[in-house]
Structure formats: C-alpha cells, structure tokens
Amino acid sequence: MVTGMQSSTSAARPGRPRSAAADAAILEATREALVELGWSKLTLGDVATRAGVAKTTLYRRWAGKNELVVDAVAALFDELELPDRGSLAADIEGVVLQFAAILDLPEAKSGLMAVVTESTRDDALRERIRESIVDRQKRLVLEGRARATARGELPPETDPEEAARTADLIFDMVAGAVVHRTLVSARPADEEWVRNFTRVLLQGLGGPA
Amino acid sequence: MVTGMQSSTSAARPGRPRSAAADAAILEATREALVELGWSKLTLGDVATRAGVAKTTLYRRWAGKNELVVDAVAALFDELELPDRGSLAADIEGVVLQFAAILDLPEAKSGLMAVVTESTRDDALRERIRESIVDRQKRLVLEGRARATARGELPPETDPEEAARTADLIFDMVAGAVVHRTLVSARPADEEWVRNFTRVLLQGLGGPA
DNA sequence: CAGTTACGCTACGACTCGTAGCGAAAGCGA
DNA sequence: TCGCTTTCGCTACGAGTCGTAGCGTAACTG
C-alpha cells in the first residue's frame, strides 16, 4: 500500500479509525477510472464519486493524483512470480510473458507511464515508484540468476559490485524492451516475440537464428 | 514538422499566409515551458504568452497539448547519426550515447514520455508519434546492420520478413533499455553502462565479462 | 481595390482544483 | 454512560484552465 500514514503500528490511536474498505474502494475506483478515462482526464472528484466517498476523504489520505495512482498501480505488479521451468531461457520467457500480460492491462499502461512521466520532475515521486514497484521486482532477476548459476548455465559471480551492476543492466534491458514493444511500438509481446527476445538476450546478436 | 496542414504544396493560396516565424517561436516556447513546468503544469495559454502570439493562433494550428508537444519534441531526435567507427560494437556505442544525451534533456524526458502515455488511449496520436519520431530513427538499426554485414560481423540475412522482425526487436531493445535506465532507474546511461549494454547485446549473457 | 485568410485581443461558460467549515458518526477510556 | 478524539459526508468557495466565439485589423493575391 505504502500510503504516507504515520505507520509504525501506531496501535489504536484514539478517535474513529480510518475505513479500510474506503481505501480499497478508492484504489479500485482509480483503476476503473484509468481504464475509462486515461490519465489526463482522470479527476479526483470523479474517483471519489465512483468509490462512494467524499472528495475531502480522498485528499485526507493522498497528496494528489500522482501518489494515488502509484498505489493503485503498484498492486498489479505484485503477482509476478518466477516459476522454475528448468532452464534459464524458459524461466526468462515465463516471467517476461507475465510482465507483458500485466502491461497489456489498460490501467497499467496509462497509469504506470503517467507516474513515470511525472517523476521526471519530482524526486520524491520517483523514489516512491522505485520502492513500491521497481525494486520489488528486481528480486526476479536475482532469483533467476541464482538458479541459472546453480544449474551451471552462468559462470559464478566473483565481484559482488560487478554482479549488482549486471543485475541492474538486465532489469533495464528486460523491462525496457517489453515496455517499448508494448507502448511505443504498440505491438503485442507475444510468445514468438518473447522467444526471439530471450534468444538475443542470452546469445547475443551473433547467435544462431 | 508534420503539422496537419493540407500539405501538397498548395502553392500560394489567397489570403494572408501563416507566419513561419510564429511556428518556430511556438515550438521553442513549448520546449522551454516543458523544461520549466513539466508536462502536467504546461498550459497552452502560457506557451502562447512565451511565444508572443495569441492563444487563438495556437489553437488554429494544433488540436491540443498532445499534438503540439509531439512536434516540439520530434525535432530533438533528428540530429541522431551513425558515424562509421569501424566495428559494430563501436557503432552501437556511439549512437546509444547520442540517444542517451538527447534523453537527458529535460524537455525530451517529460515531453516524450507524456505523449507516449497519452498515446495509450489515442490511436491517432500513437501513429503520429510513430511517423514523426520512432520510424525515422529505425533507419539507424538498418544502416548499422548493413555495415556490420558488409564487414562480415553479422551473417547475411536471407529471409526479409525475419530480417524486419529482428530489426524491430533490436530497436525495442536498444531504445527501451536506454529509456528505462534514464527515466525509471534514473541513473545515467554513461560510457561504462553503454559498454556493458553493448557487450550483452552482441554476445549475450553468457559472453565473457 | 476587392477578396480571402491569418492575426491579436477580449470575453465567455464549463470544468477542475485544493481547501475550509460544519454537523454527524465511530471508536476509545474513565 | 459520558466525554474526548478523529474521521466522515456534505456544501461552498476563489483560483485557475479549457476551448471557442466574435470583432476589428493586418497581410497577401489577382
């Protein structure tokens, strides 16, 4: 969730507690509005109406459109997993297809890209995106590499700093390619594309066709 | 420029001609406003004031914010070139560094991402982006491959359909990785990163470190 | 000079923004 | 049961932006 609450298990403060149901309804209404209206035409007043809460309630919990949409979209990426398919190539293909399926949702398309756009001028927002979305998924790269190393498909890493750099690079290459394919080229990241992508990623451009 | 004019060298229509200087001033003012205000806070009224034209003039030429920013940003990418550096790796590194430098401009960051975001809900806008930005740069991939094939660094393509698919894949991988590195990871695509990226792209993950 | 188009300017209704103020509701401890 | 505290829904508000219409003037053509 990562709302800006004062967290730290404040454990039963006095007064009326915030409605957890309202939180869920607001986030769901936000995703719904993203699908129907897109980012630019989404208004907080409309979201409040859809969620059945007052506009003021919404402003009491989120600072603005950006923060709200980050939370609404972040949940979509939490279901990503890396099932063990027996080989590095198969593992990559599997997780990339999952990622592509999520990115194919209209609420993910417009929501994620919009907050990334806004983050170019808002460092706090960028940090929030990194915490609640990006860094959480980087685990997939580390896990996949660990498995592949155990299988003997990749040489063991010696320099930990070098290893971290490579992990970041892989993440940028995988996520970047899928996003560009889906949003800019506007063509589906289907099985055939993923197969070709994985081949180039593993064997390079000179590899067998 | 790619404004929606009726083109086809309409050759001296009657009446007062549109001021070319106004076009240039508006696009320049748009880039300036993107730097200072970012996408979401950019208003067409402000752009008109900066450019020294009336707001109505602006609306007579562009349908809205999206179309205006596409034209304002497209020009930034036209200076990309592919100087012959003697090897495929060096060619790639050179053009990627150029691309990264452009993406580092604030007006490119916020402007490009914003219109891509809007294009998820506007097919006409996406097509406009493809025409005036994306497809124009795909030439770099084709040129680089042709050179590499001539040098013997890549096997000659036999199936033209397969060749086109691969070119699209490469473009998504290169552009996507640089964009993700620059905007999402928010770290510089400097020489070291580009060197590592190129190595993985050419030799794959299993290649020598 | 008449015809046509672009221009700058002003004004407008419609909409969204984010906030303030109010009374009522919901939880807590005494 | 009674206060105390916080949240809630609701209404209202000034400020700002949107996109368009109307008007008189400027620029160019035949």
Side-chain angles (χ1 to χ4, degrees):
Chain A
M1 199 70 53
V2 197
T3 51
M5 307 182 183
Q6 51 259 51
S7 64
S8 74
T9 59
S10 51
R13 295 183 312 166
R16 176 177 178 174
R18 286 190 170 173
S19 162
D23 258 355
I26 291 172
L27 293 176
E28 177 58 34
T30 303
R31 286 186 286 265
E32 184 185 308
L34 273 177
V35 175
E36 291 183 22
L37 307 173
W39 164 263
S40 61
K41 292 183 181 174
L42 179 152
T43 71
L44 296 198
D46 184 50
V47 170
T49 303
R50 288 171 190 264
V53 301
K55 192 173 62 164
T56 42
T57 298
L58 215 156
Y59 275 102
R60 287 185 190 109
R61 305 189 185 196
W62 284 276
K65 205 166 155 177
N66 294 338
E67 290 75 9
L68 173 61
V69 172
V70 170
D71 284 1
V73 169
L76 296 176
F77 292 88
D78 278 340
E79 59 191 46
L80 279 176
E81 286 180 7
L82 190 65
D84 194 329
R85 294 185 164 198
S87 76
L88 177 55
D91 283 1
I92 293 178
E93 290 180 9
V95 73
V96 168
L97 278 174
Q98 286 182 60
F99 185 51
I102 294 175
L103 262 192
D104 205 43
L105 301 173
E107 62 268 38
K109 277 194 175 79
S110 40
L112 180 63
M113 293 301 286
V115 293
V116 168
T117 301
E118 294 301 315
S119 77
T120 61
R121 301 194 51 79
D122 185 339
D123 291 339
L125 180 63
R126 177 167 47 225
E127 200 48 41
R128 193 180 178 123
I129 294 173
R130 204 207 307 269
E131 283 176 13
S132 50
I133 302 183
V134 181
D135 279 353
R136 270 197 220 175
Q137 310 311 334
K138 208 166 275 182
R139 60 185 165 83
L140 299 169
V141 174
L142 302 176
E143 197 175 334
R145 181 169 62 187
R147 274 193 211 155
T149 307
R151 290 194 197 101
E153 294 180 284
L154 288 180
E157 289 287 349
T158 53
D159 183 0
E161 195 174 328
E162 167 78 18
R165 246 202 315 270
T166 304
D168 287 347
L169 174 63
I170 302 305
F171 191 74
D172 284 331
M173 287 183 72
V174 173
V178 176
V179 169
H180 199 276
R181 168 76 175 180
T182 306
L183 298 187
V184 181
S185 297
R187 319 205 66 198
D190 53 18
E191 290 199 21
E192 181 186 2
W193 184 87
V194 172
R195 212 162 29 234
N196 285 324
F197 168 75
T198 305
R199 175 171 49 77
V200 172
L201 183 66
L202 290 180
Q203 306 179 355
L205 278 182
Chain B
M1 199 69 57
V2 198
T3 50
M5 306 182 185
Q6 51 261 50
S7 62
S8 75
T9 58
S10 52
R13 296 181 313 166
R16 176 176 176 175
R18 286 189 170 173
S19 161
D23 258 355
I26 291 172
L27 293 176
E28 177 57 33
T30 302
R31 287 186 286 267
E32 184 185 307
L34 273 176
V35 174
E36 292 183 20
L37 307 173
W39 164 262
S40 60
K41 294 183 179 174
L42 179 151
T43 70
L44 296 197
D46 184 50
V47 170
T49 304
R50 289 171 190 264
V53 301
K55 193 173 61 163
T56 43
T57 297
L58 215 156
Y59 276 101
R60 285 184 190 110
R61 306 189 184 197
W62 283 277
K65 207 166 151 175
N66 295 337
E67 289 75 10
L68 173 61
V69 172
V70 170
D71 285 1
V73 169
L76 296 175
F77 292 88
D78 278 341
E79 59 190 47
L80 279 175
E81 286 180 8
L82 191 66
D84 194 331
R85 293 184 166 199
S87 76
L88 177 55
D91 283 1
I92 293 177
E93 289 181 10
V95 74
V96 168
L97 278 174
Q98 285 182 60
F99 185 51
I102 294 176
L103 262 191
D104 206 43
L105 300 172
E107 62 269 37
K109 276 195 176 76
S110 40
L112 180 63
M113 293 301 287
V115 293
V116 168
T117 300
E118 295 301 315
S119 75
T120 62
R121 303 195 46 81
D122 185 339
D123 291 339
L125 181 62
R126 185 188 310 123
E127 199 48 42
R128 192 181 178 122
I129 293 174
R130 203 205 310 265
E131 284 176 14
S132 50
I133 302 183
V134 181
D135 279 354
R136 270 198 220 175
Q137 309 312 332
K138 209 167 274 182
R139 59 184 167 85
L140 299 169
V141 174
L142 301 176
E143 197 175 333
R145 181 169 60 188
R147 274 192 210 156
T149 307
R151 290 193 198 101
E153 295 180 281
L154 288 179
E157 289 287 348
T158 53
D159 182 0
E161 195 175 328
E162 167 77 18
R165 244 202 318 269
T166 303
D168 287 347
L169 174 62
I170 302 305
F171 191 74
D172 284 331
M173 289 183 71
V174 173
V178 175
V179 169
H180 200 276
R181 167 78 175 181
T182 305
L183 298 188
V184 181
S185 298
R187 319 205 65 198
D190 53 18
E191 290 198 23
E192 181 186 3
W193 184 87
V194 171
R195 212 162 31 234
N196 285 324
F197 168 75
T198 304
R199 175 172 49 77
V200 172
L201 182 67
L202 290 180
Q203 307 180 354
L205 277 182

